[in-house]
Amino acid sequence: MSTGQREFDIVLYGATGFVGKLTAEYLAKAGGTARIALAGRSQDKLLAVRETLRETAQSWPLITAEASQPSTLNAMAARAQVVVTTVGPYNRYGLPLVAACAGAGADYADLSGEPMFMRESIDRYHKQAIDTGARIVHACGFDSIPSDLSVFALYRRASDDDAGELADTTFVVRKMSGALSGGTIASIADVVRATSGDPETRRLLEDPYTLTPDRAAEPEFGAQPDYPWRRGAQIAPELDGIWTSGFLMASTNTRIVRRSNALQDWAYGSRFRYSECQSVGSSALAPVASAMAAGVGAMVSGLGSRYFDKVPEGLVDRVVPKPGSGPSERTRERGHYKIETYATTTTGVRYRATMSQQGDPGYKATSVLLGESGLALAADRDRLSELRGVLTPAAAMGDALLARFPAAGVSLSVDRLN
């Protein structure tokens, strides 16, 4: 699977963390003949991780590198075709590695769910990455591949059917079992902390087009709340009888999807409108639960972004799961999710994309999605887009991931509804 003159096809940075270990296990199983190295701060810990992997991984080289020593990241990036990183929160640790990959012309994939980190990555390194030929791809886990690839699949199907552009499009979490990872929670806390007391950062974060390459070219739909609540029938007839509320990660996922549209010259549509929500059921209490969930999300987003700096950082760190921690293997295996994304095109044709995966979304499922992203960037060069710079999963490797999903146990199908 050699992809050029680089020493390694994939370097997995952060291999000693919880999701890093899971990603290493997946790459050892699915990586085939890929030339893979494990990287992190401690040689001893890297060796301990490698010893837990299957026999085919026992010869993988180990690379010592850390964010506080940019020269080590530069040396690592120069040896890699692709660097896959699980080292977050990315607001704290991510930019030095983005800089190294952009400078070396190495592709990069992470698990970031932090819009302001991505905005800074774009502002600092998008042009350099274009010049060196690097693909810097953020949000390659449960945040935000199900969102991004579901819409990409809808776009491909509508285009094949000559059914017009995508218009109103809504992602609905129908079923989900699992926990948010410690890294995701730490990332959310960092996002809120970064906006607290900073009106300009808060304004950028509240803009639905935070990540767009051209704000003036985006359509204006008025308010686009991240945490709406509404009846399922308002979204699609197939959801009649249920209520929905805003999905926790919508503030990140929606901006990734909108950037995907813009990076592809607004291929989804010039009037593409996108939102996310989750089902809260159909019981008599569902409307109350929906309203409460939407209210809590808005309150946390609004009040938290204004007053979070008044909360001692140590207190937050003590009460949330630690990055690098995670659930038992039994819990990870029993987790799952099912997403339905409904779209109506400009000609009135309706579609539904259904995506599902076995495994805890924040851990096992994420490690599969990240592993497949690294493999797609390394092995499927003929299926990747021609775009370079700071990208999204769909804009960088949409077709490659769609082709890889079935063998990886990821189900994604599109149905025409009328």
Side-chain angles (χ1 to χ4, degrees):
M1 198 175 88
S2 177
T3 55
Q5 301 305 310
R6 300 295 176 106
E7 184 177 353
F8 303 113
D9 296 315
I10 297 173
V11 171
L12 174 60
Y13 178 57
T16 61
F18 197 91
V19 176
K21 292 176 185 176
L22 295 177
T23 306
E25 291 172 4
Y26 184 75
L27 289 173
K29 179 180 73 172
T33 60
R35 301 167 299 165
I36 298 173
L38 304 179
R41 292 184 298 176
S42 167
Q43 188 85 358
D44 290 341
K45 290 182 178 179
L46 289 169
L47 180 60
V49 169
R50 189 177 66 180
E51 289 176 346
T52 68
L53 303 178
R54 58 179 61 196
E55 184 177 352
T56 54
Q58 294 307 306
S59 61
W60 286 359
L62 307 178
I63 300 173
T64 302
E66 59 178 296
S68 63
Q69 299 178 24
S71 62
T72 65
L73 301 181
N74 293 338
M76 177 179 72
R79 302 169 71 184
Q81 183 70 45
V82 182
V83 176
V84 172
T85 174
T86 65
V87 179
Y90 295 91
N91 273 324
R92 300 184 198 179
Y93 308 117
L95 282 175
L97 182 56
V98 172
C101 291
D107 290 349
Y108 162 107
D110 71 20
L111 295 173
S112 175
E114 303 157 50
M116 294 314 299
F117 160 73
M118 299 178 208
R119 184 67 258 175
E120 190 168 5
S121 172
I122 294 163
D123 293 341
R124 289 194 185 190
Y125 301 112
H126 181 64
K127 176 62 167 61
Q128 183 184 22
I130 291 174
D131 292 343
T132 63
R135 298 178 179 88
I136 307 298
V137 191
H138 299 304
C140 294
F142 183 66
D143 312 315
S144 304
I145 282 183
S147 307
D148 210 23
L149 268 294
S150 290
V151 175
F152 183 81
L154 286 164
Y155 151 67
R156 281 289 193 230
R157 176 63 186 274
S159 179
D160 289 345
D161 290 352
D162 195 23
E165 298 179 333
L166 302 183
D168 284 348
T169 304
T170 305
F171 166 106
V172 185
V173 180
R174 295 304 309 274
K175 297 178 182 179
M176 186 168 68
S177 175
L180 288 176
S181 71
T184 295
I185 294 174
S187 293
I188 293 170
D190 264 25
V191 169
V192 179
R193 185 180 290 115
T195 60
S196 183
D198 186 341
E200 177 59 19
T201 300
R202 189 161 61 245
R203 183 192 67 78
L204 284 172
L205 193 62
E206 290 172 352
D207 186 342
Y209 301 104
T210 308
L211 303 181
T212 186
D214 185 354
R215 182 65 180 85
E218 296 289 359
E220 292 293 348
F221 295 115
Q224 297 185 61
D226 291 322
Y227 304 103
W229 66 281
R230 47 188 168 158
R231 294 177 182 271
Q234 293 176 269
I235 300 169
E238 292 77 12
L239 300 177
D240 188 25
I242 72 167
W243 284 82
T244 69
S245 67
F247 180 48
L248 179 62
M249 294 306 297
S251 60
T252 295
N253 297 339
T254 55
R255 286 153 179 81
I256 287 287
V257 171
R258 293 175 191 132
R259 180 169 175 80
S260 290
N261 187 32
L263 286 171
Q264 298 172 92
D265 292 326
W266 289 272
Y268 300 166
S270 59
R271 301 295 295 171
F272 172 69
R273 185 204 296 258
Y274 181 73
S275 62
E276 295 196 346
C277 60
Q278 61 185 359
S279 170
V280 294
S282 57
S283 72
L285 295 177
V288 177
S290 175
M292 289 180 64
V296 168
M299 182 177 69
V300 169
S301 176
L303 294 181
S305 65
R306 287 166 173 78
Y307 302 113
F308 194 80
D309 61 338
K310 306 297 189 294
V311 179
E313 185 170 344
L315 175 61
V316 175
D317 293 340
R318 285 196 296 272
V319 299
V320 303
K322 299 291 187 294
S325 63
S328 67
E329 181 178 2
R330 181 171 183 268
T331 299
R332 297 195 308 269
E333 294 294 330
R334 293 181 65 182
H336 60 272
Y337 69 84
K338 178 182 178 183
I339 308 295
E340 294 177 348
T341 305
Y342 292 84
T344 302
T345 72
T346 51
T347 65
V349 179
R350 297 178 54 248
Y351 293 96
R352 176 180 58 210
T354 303
M355 182 168 177
S356 61
Q357 192 178 359
Q358 187 65 33
D360 187 297
Y363 294 96
K364 182 179 178 181
T366 276
S367 68
V368 172
L369 296 172
L370 180 62
E372 287 296 334
S373 295
L375 291 167
L377 289 169
D380 301 340
R381 312 293 283 183
D382 58 331
R383 289 183 178 269
L384 303 180
S385 79
E386 296 299 317
L387 294 171
R388 300 293 191 277
V390 179
L391 306 176
T392 60
M397 51 186 169
D399 289 320
L401 285 177
L402 290 181
R404 298 189 71 90
F405 278 171
V410 181
S411 174
L412 176 52
S413 61
V414 177
D415 299 312
R416 183 166 174 158
L417 299 176
N418 62 344

